[in-house]
């Protein structure tokens, strides 16, 4: 039986500070190394690290 379902949308990440949204893991995001914490995603617009990753 064929399915007419649309493919799932790309997973997106969103900055909770300014609302910037782009595909998770894409080149739009900045990655920074924070001593004692590790690698974090940073918003390219406002430089906040308050980001929800992997949202659909």
């Amino acid at each position: 039986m064929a399915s007419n379902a649309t493919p799932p949308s790309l997973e997106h990440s969103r900055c909770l500070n300014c609302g910037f949204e782009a595909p998770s893991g894409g080149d739009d995001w900045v990655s920074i190394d924070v001593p004692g914490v590790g690698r974090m995603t940073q918003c390219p617009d406002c430089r906040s690290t308050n980001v929800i990753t992997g949202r659909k």
Side-chain angles (χ1 to χ4, degrees):
M1 182 161 129
S3 173
N4 291 336
T6 57
S9 62
L10 292 174
E11 291 186 359
H12 280 74
S13 296
R14 183 171 60 96
C15 175
L16 296 176
N17 190 52
C18 72
F20 176 82
E21 190 168 323
S24 296
D27 292 337
D28 294 324
W29 294 102
V30 176
S31 291
I32 59 171
D33 289 314
V34 178
V37 176
R39 200 144 182 83
M40 295 184 74
T41 300
Q42 186 179 43
C43 177
D45 285 352
C46 71
R47 302 294 184 204
S48 172
T49 56
N50 193 8
V51 175
I52 293 178
T53 57
R55 249 176 30 92
K56 286 191 177 186

